[in-house]
Amino acid sequence: MIGRSVAAFLSALSLYASGTAAWEMNTYADFMRGRFSGVSLTRDGRMVLAPRLQPIFSSDEPSIWSVAEGPDKSLFVGTGHRGRLYRVDAKGVSSLLWTAPEPEIFAIATGPGGAVFAGTSPDGKVYRIVNGVAEEYFAPKERYIWSLCMGSDGALYVGAGDTGKVYRVTAKGVGGVWFETGQSHVTALTLDRHGRVLAGTEPNGLIYRLEGKDKAFVLYDAAYPEIRTLFSAPDGSVYAAAQGGSVAQRTNAAGQAAQPMSQTPQVTAPTISVTVTDEGAAVQSPPELTPKTPDNSKPQQQTAPILPGQTVYTAPTSTDVTGVDKSALFRISPDNTVETLWTSKEENIYDVLVVGGQVLFSTDENGRIYRMGQDRRVTLIAQTNEGETTRLVASGDSILAATGSMGKLYRLSESASAEGAYESPVHDAGSVARWGQLGWRGERKGNGKLLFRTRSGNSARPDRTWSDWSAPMTDPAGVNVTSPNARFIQWKAEFAGGTASSPVVSGVSLAYLPQNNPPVVQSLNVVSQIMPITSTSAKAAGQQAASGTYSITVTDTGEAGASTLSGTPAQTLTRGYSQQIQIIWSAEDPDGDRLAYSLYFRGEDETEWKLIRGNFSETLYTLEGDVLADGRYLFRLIASDRPSNAGDASRQAELVSAPVLFDATPPVVSSAGVTRTGASAQIVIRAADAASALRRAEYSLDATAWIPIDSIDGVVDGRQEEFRLRLDSLAPGEHIVVIRAYDASNNVGLAKVVLR
């Protein structure tokens, strides 16, 4: 697919790496990182035209929070942040039915006689609207009304927060607490097939089945902070969408929208912080006043400024923990067994709907809608490309989807779109690259059409500095990419057809040749190391000693035995260490190429570099400590990516060390005069070093501890120094004074003075 033209352009560019790279997308996970518009993705990584997604209503509000269907198939839509209730009839004609005094309508339920019940927040109230006329129906003195449900007994059940209570309301102003969950929020209500009320809660993600007043059974502990939605299927199964951040989002929205409307004293809600463990369990932590930092990659709602005298609502916060599941979809069977159908570490699930044996659910990742068949395989069937798809509603033969961010209502058709497009994620070549061919795998059906385009640029996100989309490419075997050389590239697939003739794409590959970047030498260090004499050198020392002229045995009587030759030999003490010089460096290649090194040296007073070793891969080289005479030396390291790049395409970098002083010769220490008067003595000592400055001097009297000596000028810092040592209270007789001086390289020189 990709071959002939790639080989042709490789030889034309000397600054590009010799190895061609290929950006391939083949799997479900690969394609999910892109942007879908009228295109679906199956679990086995096949892209086809999606069901038609037709916008039928735009509220011009930031979010649609709730949707309910009336007896005449009209829809009632509750929005934020201006608390508006709309009616959308079966033909898609919309009208503003009512505006609530509160800014958010989080819950809607329809009742007998065409009545619509709306739960508002904050300062939660329930209103009853009939023929556009609203009346306050129930005011439980709660902060939030999250959920409403018409019971099989004709009563209205109300899920509230911050107290986590379920209320049962039988008439205007007539109602009371039906069950206290012990949680903070009752976020979802529905009926099971036996007419029992099911309640989902936050922050511990518990699902209750209400058996009667003050009587309930915990149906499931989801181990996620919030039960976002409950759906009761005809077969008795209950589907639960669980996540960890929706309450915080909605209460923040409610607080911000309420600020301009209130002049009451400040009211601060108890704050709930939820921590998700690696097992997915949620625990409540102490109050936390810092709100969650918004994700700037997603559309953000506008924050109203806080003005003096306004009410400030502090919403519950949530903790977004990277690397663990953010949300999940569960199925609770009639026998109470639970099956996890879907989880995600990136997406929050918002709603679930079961239609015709298939499960639909929506998320906040570009407003995606998924379908799960009876085989439990998930297909991305549509993407609204808005902040989140908040609600899914079955209306007649259609599926309706409500969205946040732009507050729209879409109808999802069974027939496929006539056209669609998919934009890949942006690919980073690592450096400016020359593009080769783009090819793809798939198939065309009937009159279906499929073409590809590319664009490139040098900013991480496509903007107006990028090139325009290229001319269409239609040959799946491979077409040369004409977009300009750049670091980043993106491709787009355009589909045309319909239900029976949708093209299929299952894999895409794009070849490119990245510019070969030079290596980087990060450091070059020269260190000395004291090494113990090895057994081999010790053996050699022993052999040398054995070859001496004398041997002697000392007995325990202190008398010397017979020697092989006349005289008594001196015992030689060998040094137990030797010195080595280690040259250590660090280098890397931004392209990941293998590197080869060449190491050079020269004296500070020399002009030409001398090669120590060339073309090797280690990052350490060891020199014997005495191979270089005393003096200052520089070392030069050249790193080359030649092992990975042929000929002129290879690049190199170098680094020269700071001057390194080699000083293996100890200072010369001598006596410049000795004067002894009775019990006192004065000694003048001179020390000199040919290579480096002196650093300190010490003396020892009769092999006792070393005592520092100051130089005559007060500072030991020159290559030549003079010291004056005065000794008092000497005992009569002979004494031995040993003086030692150290240079900057820690070499030591000694001298002995005998006092008589």
Side-chain angles (χ1 to χ4, degrees):
M1 182 189 304
I2 302 173
R4 293 189 302 273
S5 62
V6 170
F9 79 78
L10 286 182
S11 60
L13 198 62
S14 63
L15 291 181
Y16 284 76
S18 61
T20 302
W23 170 33
E24 295 191 0
M25 296 183 63
N26 300 300
T27 66
Y28 179 87
D30 292 339
F31 291 123
M32 282 294 287
R33 296 184 295 116
R35 180 182 176 89
F36 298 83
S37 179
V39 174
S40 292
L41 175 65
T42 64
R43 187 60 188 173
D44 57 359
R46 292 164 58 86
M47 289 192 294
V48 297
L49 283 169
R52 185 181 295 109
L53 194 64
Q54 178 185 2
I56 61 172
F57 168 68
S58 178
S59 66
D60 295 326
E61 302 292 330
S63 291
I64 292 178
W65 294 126
S66 50
V67 181
E69 187 179 47
D72 61 351
K73 304 302 180 182
S74 60
L75 298 174
F76 297 94
V77 179
T79 68
H81 304 315
R82 292 187 287 181
R84 292 182 171 180
L85 178 67
Y86 293 88
R87 179 179 181 272
V88 183
D89 65 19
K91 296 180 180 180
V93 178
S94 63
S95 59
L96 176 62
L97 189 63
W98 171 67
T99 300
E102 293 77 33
E104 311 295 327
I105 301 177
F106 287 139
I108 296 177
T110 55
V116 179
F117 296 93
T120 64
S121 299
D123 299 326
K125 293 181 176 64
V126 179
Y127 294 87
R128 183 175 183 267
I129 303 99
V130 178
N131 296 325
V133 178
E135 62 176 349
E136 184 178 300
Y137 189 68
F138 183 63
K141 297 182 180 180
E142 295 278 1
R143 288 286 306 283
Y144 306 104
I145 303 298
W146 295 119
S147 49
L148 298 173
C149 174
M150 290 300 303
S152 57
D153 57 358
L156 177 68
Y157 290 85
V158 179
D162 291 322
T163 62
K165 296 174 183 176
V166 178
Y167 293 85
R168 182 175 181 269
V169 185
T170 55
K172 179 181 178 181
V174 180
V177 176
W178 190 247
F179 182 72
E180 295 187 29
T181 66
Q183 299 289 293
S184 297
H185 304 276
V186 178
T187 52
L189 291 173
T190 193
L191 301 180
D192 68 7
R193 64 175 174 176
H194 300 295
R196 296 171 295 191
V197 176
L198 304 178
T201 62
E202 193 270 354
N204 292 328
L206 299 177
I207 302 173
Y208 295 86
R209 185 175 63 214
L210 308 188
E211 312 259 338
K213 180 173 173 53
D214 299 326
K215 184 179 180 181
F217 175 75
V218 174
L219 191 61
Y220 186 55
D221 181 350
Y224 285 77
E226 178 189 352
I227 302 301
R228 180 66 174 83
T229 304
L230 293 171
F231 184 88
S232 183
D235 65 356
S237 299
V238 175
Y239 292 82
Q243 57 154 284
S246 176
V247 164
Q249 177 189 356
R250 290 184 286 169
T251 50
N252 276 323
Q256 293 167 7
Q259 288 167 9
M261 302 174 61
S262 174
Q263 298 297 325
T264 59
Q266 176 170 324
V267 178
T268 302
T271 303
I272 300 164
S273 175
V274 175
T275 302
V276 182
T277 67
D278 55 0
E279 291 88 5
V283 294
Q284 182 171 325
S285 66
E288 175 66 50
L289 297 180
T290 304
K292 178 181 176 182
T293 301
D295 181 355
N296 293 327
S297 66
K298 297 179 181 178
Q300 299 295 319
Q301 297 173 353
Q302 296 297 319
T303 302
I306 299 174
L307 302 177
Q310 293 179 348
T311 300
V312 178
Y313 291 90
T314 303
T317 61
S318 63
T319 300
D320 187 6
V321 181
T322 303
V324 299
D325 291 337
K326 291 177 64 174
S327 63
L329 176 63
F330 302 99
R331 177 181 178 269
I332 307 172
S333 299
D335 62 359
N336 294 348
T337 58
V338 180
E339 178 184 6
T340 302
L341 302 180
W342 177 87
T343 62
S344 176
K345 293 180 173 62
E346 293 83 26
E347 302 179 49
N348 276 310
I349 187 171
Y350 270 73
D351 205 4
V352 59
L353 177 68
V354 179
V355 178
Q358 298 200 5
V359 181
L360 303 178
F361 59 95
S362 62
T363 74
D364 61 353
E365 184 67 24
N366 292 309
R368 289 173 174 169
I369 303 172
Y370 294 90
R371 179 178 62 213
M372 179 183 295
Q374 296 180 352
D375 58 359
R376 299 294 186 260
R377 295 179 68 84
V378 175
T379 297
L380 172 62
I381 60 171
Q383 182 167 297
T384 63
N385 290 317
E386 295 191 26
E388 58 273 328
T389 297
T390 56
R391 291 296 178 190
L392 296 173
V393 179
S395 178
D397 297 332
S398 301
I399 304 298
L400 302 179
T403 64
S405 298
M406 299 300 293
K408 294 182 179 180
L409 200 61
Y410 293 85
R411 176 177 284 113
L412 191 64
S413 173
E414 291 186 0
S415 60
S417 301
E419 58 184 25
Y422 170 81
E423 290 184 13
S424 73
V426 172
H427 180 68
D428 183 1
S431 61
V432 174
R434 186 166 187 170
W435 313 119
Q437 289 192 343
L438 182 141
W440 60 92
R441 297 188 310 278
E443 58 182 293
R444 292 193 183 99
K445 296 180 180 179
N447 296 324
K449 296 180 180 179
L450 178 65
L451 58 87
F452 282 76
R453 303 177 190 270
T454 62
R455 63 178 176 178
S456 61
N458 285 306
S459 57
R461 293 186 177 181
D463 55 24
R464 60 184 181 181
T465 67
W466 276 48
S467 67
D468 295 333
W469 287 107
S470 68
M473 296 176 282
T474 58
D475 186 356
V479 180
N480 289 332
V481 173
T482 58
S483 297
N485 297 341
R487 175 173 174 174
F488 300 96
I489 194 167
Q490 184 184 34
W491 56 260
K492 176 171 67 172
E494 298 177 0
F495 296 71
T499 303
S501 57
S502 172
V504 178
V505 174
S506 58
V508 179
S509 180
L510 191 154
Y512 61 94
L513 190 64
Q515 176 180 318
N516 183 26
N517 295 293
V520 177
V521 182
Q522 299 162 319
S523 64
L524 176 61
N525 298 304
V526 182
V527 297
S528 64
Q529 185 175 18
I530 303 300
M531 301 296 293
I533 292 180
T534 64
S535 58
T536 302
S537 58
K539 181 178 179 181
Q543 291 173 348
Q544 182 177 359
S547 64
T549 307
Y550 304 100
S551 65
I552 187 170
T553 302
V554 180
T555 68
D556 57 3
T557 63
E559 297 179 356
S563 61
T564 56
L565 295 175
S566 62
T568 302
Q571 183 179 358
T572 301
L573 298 179
T574 60
R575 298 178 69 181
Y577 61 89
S578 63
Q579 189 177 33
Q580 290 184 339
I581 305 301
Q582 288 191 335
I583 307 165
I584 306 168
W585 58 90
S586 173
E588 66 179 18
D589 189 274
D591 304 321
D593 293 341
R594 291 181 293 115
L595 297 178
Y597 305 103
S598 295
L599 183 63
Y600 299 81
F601 84 101
R602 67 172 176 85
E604 192 175 39
D605 57 347
E606 300 167 7
T607 58
E608 294 184 3
W609 292 102
K610 290 84 174 173
L611 177 66
I612 299 176
R613 186 181 177 189
N615 195 29
F616 64 105
S617 59
E618 295 82 3
T619 58
L620 179 148
Y621 190 81
T622 302
L623 292 170
E624 293 298 328
D626 53 1
V627 298
L628 295 174
D630 289 359
R632 292 180 179 271
Y633 294 86
L634 296 95
F635 293 87
R636 177 192 184 200
L637 180 77
I638 296 179
S640 171
D641 62 6
R642 181 66 180 270
S644 297
N645 298 274
D648 294 337
S650 64
R651 307 288 296 277
Q652 67 180 37
E654 69 173 61
L655 185 64
V656 177
S657 72
V660 180
L661 173 64
F662 280 76
D663 182 5
T665 304
V668 176
V669 183
S670 60
S671 171
V674 179
T675 303
R676 181 169 181 176
T677 306
S680 299
Q682 181 173 285
I683 307 171
V684 177
I685 304 108
R686 291 195 182 103
D689 193 273
S692 61
L694 299 171
R695 287 292 178 255
R696 73 180 191 274
E698 302 168 323
Y699 79 93
S700 172
L701 176 63
D702 294 332
T704 57
W706 291 100
I707 300 173
I709 315 172
D710 284 335
S711 65
I712 292 177
D713 64 6
V715 180
V716 183
D717 60 353
R719 290 191 180 185
Q720 296 183 2
E721 293 285 351
E722 192 168 284
F723 305 87
R724 183 176 292 114
L725 173 62
R726 181 176 178 83
L727 301 172
D728 295 315
S729 303
L730 292 171
E734 186 177 80
H735 297 279
I736 301 297
V737 179
V738 177
I739 301 98
R740 68 182 182 187
Y742 290 85
D743 63 14
S745 297
N746 218 33
N747 298 308
V748 59
L750 298 98
K752 181 178 75 171
V753 176
V754 180
L755 300 177
R756 294 187 173 89

